[in-house]
């Protein structure tokens, strides 16, 4: 799952640079979504089959990683915002501007940095 997240992140960066803001937001969101799934699976033992829907991933991620302070609540709030922007980009005829897309990609970078740090920590 983390490999999928990192690939989506690479795509998001390129798409932002190419001024494809809707697509950049979608890929940035999926980078966070897949990183969250990796964390839930690898650190919390949640079966991947149980965390396929966006709503479930967001709920369980908040429950397992925000409540105990391993993830900053503001980053997770932005993750939720990215989910909303992704839905707009994918399903509505509303353009996403550069500022919004850049913010989502910045959030993705923070999210992935935190995820990689948690996954690299020794486990007891």
């Amino acid at each position: 799952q983390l490999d999928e997240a990192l690939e989506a992140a690479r795509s998001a960066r390129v798409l932002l640079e190419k001024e494809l803001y809707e697509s950049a937001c979608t890929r940035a969101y999926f980078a966070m979504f897949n990183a969250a799934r990796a964390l839930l699976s690898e650190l919390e033992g949640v079966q991947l089959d149980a965390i396929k829907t966006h709503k479930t991933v967001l709920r369980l991620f908040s429950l397992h990683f925000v409540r105990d302070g391993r993830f900053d609540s503001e980053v997770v709030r932005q993750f939720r915002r990215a989910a909303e922007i992704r839905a707009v980009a994918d399903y509505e005829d509303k353009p996403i501007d550069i500022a919004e897309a850049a913010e989502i990609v910045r959030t993705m970078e923070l999210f992935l940095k935190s995820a990689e740090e948690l996954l690299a920590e020794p486990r007891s």
Side-chain angles (χ1 to χ4, degrees):
Q1 290 302 305
L2 190 59
D3 288 343
E4 290 177 36
L6 296 175
E7 183 176 330
R10 285 190 297 273
S11 296
R13 292 179 197 110
V14 169
L15 291 163
L16 181 64
E17 184 179 303
K18 300 289 184 187
E19 299 178 8
L20 298 167
Y21 305 129
E22 288 84 3
S23 296
C25 288
T26 296
R27 298 314 302 154
Y29 167 73
F30 277 105
M32 291 183 274
F33 177 80
N34 283 314
R37 288 185 77 217
L39 288 164
L40 287 165
S41 174
E42 293 182 33
L43 299 183
E44 298 300 316
V46 179
Q47 295 296 313
L48 287 173
D49 288 347
I51 46 175
K52 288 184 178 179
T53 69
H54 302 281
K55 186 177 179 179
T56 299
V57 169
L58 286 164
R59 182 178 55 79
L60 289 177
F61 187 81
S62 291
L63 180 69
H64 288 281
F65 291 94
V66 177
R67 199 172 276 177
D68 70 4
R70 288 184 285 176
F71 253 78
D72 181 79
S73 61
E74 178 59 22
V75 172
V76 176
R77 189 185 71 72
Q78 290 291 346
F79 178 30
R80 288 183 182 283
R81 177 74 180 132
E84 294 167 6
I85 295 295
R86 190 237 9 134
V88 168
D90 285 354
Y91 302 114
E92 296 180 26
D93 191 23
K94 291 182 184 176
I96 306 295
D97 65 25
I98 185 173
E100 203 155 32
E103 182 63 27
I104 297 299
V105 172
R106 270 193 299 278
T107 296
M108 174 200 75
E109 300 292 4
L110 293 170
F111 195 97
L112 290 178
K113 182 177 186 272
S114 295
E116 289 178 307
E117 289 171 358
L118 281 173
L119 288 166
E121 287 179 1
R123 296 180 199 136
S124 53

